Amino acid sequence: QVISGGHYDVDCYVEDPNGRTIYKETKKQYDSFPHRTELQGVYTFCFSNEFSTFSHKTVYFDFQVGDEPPILPDMSNRVTALTQMESACVTIHEALNAVIDSQTHYRLREAQDRSRAEDLNGRVAYWSVGETVILFVVSIGQVVLLKSFFTEKRPGSGRAGT
């Protein structure tokens, strides 16, 4: 997920150890890519921002490697039904995983909103400085103009008198 920068979009691709592209997306803000590996080795991923050379971006990504181990040690080869305590543990575990996902989502949104607020704060500060400078220039201009209305022009200084 792109958290800050530009139009919140980035290019991404993933390659397997043989160099074959297994995932490629352009100008995405948020995406999920589940993949079960078939080859052992180094998988390469790249986030590219070459279409947007002036804006820097912050990207969040998360890897989940491997299958989640069972909650109970003998759960995979069990023939009988779960006891009430075991089923409650499974339910609580699933609820906690949902809470972890929600917290991650809210942290990302908070970081995104903070970035927008700081950008807006900077713009307001520049606008305020600009308005202040314009206010001083207009004030000085008005003082000079009003002063010129009330200054007496001497007859001998400009034209020859009659």
Side-chain angles (χ1 to χ4, degrees), residues 20 42 50 92 96-97 104 128 150 152 155:
R20 211 174 57 224
V42 176
E50 51 185 26
I92 290 171
L96 287 175
N97 282 339
T104 302
S128 298
F150 294 107
E152 184 179 326

Side-chain angles (χ1 to χ4, degrees), residues 14-162:
V14 179
E15 291 181 349
D16 66 5
N18 293 336
R20 211 174 57 224
T21 302
I22 55 178
Y23 173 80
K24 184 172 185 171
E25 286 293 330
T26 58
K27 296 187 178 182
K28 291 289 249 185
Q29 177 185 2
Y30 177 83
D31 202 6
S32 178
F33 172 62
H35 178 73
R36 193 167 287 286
T37 59
E38 298 156 2
L39 302 170
Q40 283 190 344
V42 176
Y43 284 76
T44 306
F45 66 94
C46 176
F47 296 103
S48 173
N49 190 28
E50 51 185 26
F51 62 87
S52 177
T53 56
F54 294 112
S55 63
H56 300 282
K57 297 184 178 166
T58 305
V59 177
Y60 169 81
F61 62 95
D62 181 28
F63 281 114
Q64 295 178 353
V65 180
D67 292 328
E68 187 174 326
I71 299 169
L72 303 170
D74 61 344
M75 195 171 190
S76 59
N77 56 6
R78 191 174 183 121
V79 180
T80 61
L82 296 175
T83 65
Q84 187 174 3
M85 179 69 93
E86 291 170 338
S87 63
C89 286
V90 169
T91 304
I92 290 171
H93 180 73
E94 290 171 353
L96 287 175
N97 282 339
V99 167
I100 289 170
D101 290 342
S102 295
Q103 284 180 334
T104 302
H105 173 74
Y106 291 132
R107 281 190 199 109
L108 291 175
R109 290 294 303 264
E110 186 271 334
Q112 212 170 26
D113 293 342
R114 176 176 292 281
S115 174
R116 281 187 189 143
E118 288 174 357
D119 181 49
L120 186 60
N121 185 31
R123 289 181 184 190
V124 167
Y126 285 132
W127 183 257
S128 298
V129 168
E131 279 188 339
T132 304
V133 168
I134 290 171
L135 181 72
F136 281 129
V137 168
V138 168
S139 298
I140 291 171
Q142 286 180 348
V143 167
V144 168
L145 183 67
L146 284 173
K147 205 172 183 185
S148 72
F149 287 155
F150 294 107
T151 57
E152 184 179 326
K153 295 183 181 158
R154 298 196 178 137
S157 63
R159 290 188 271 171
T162 48

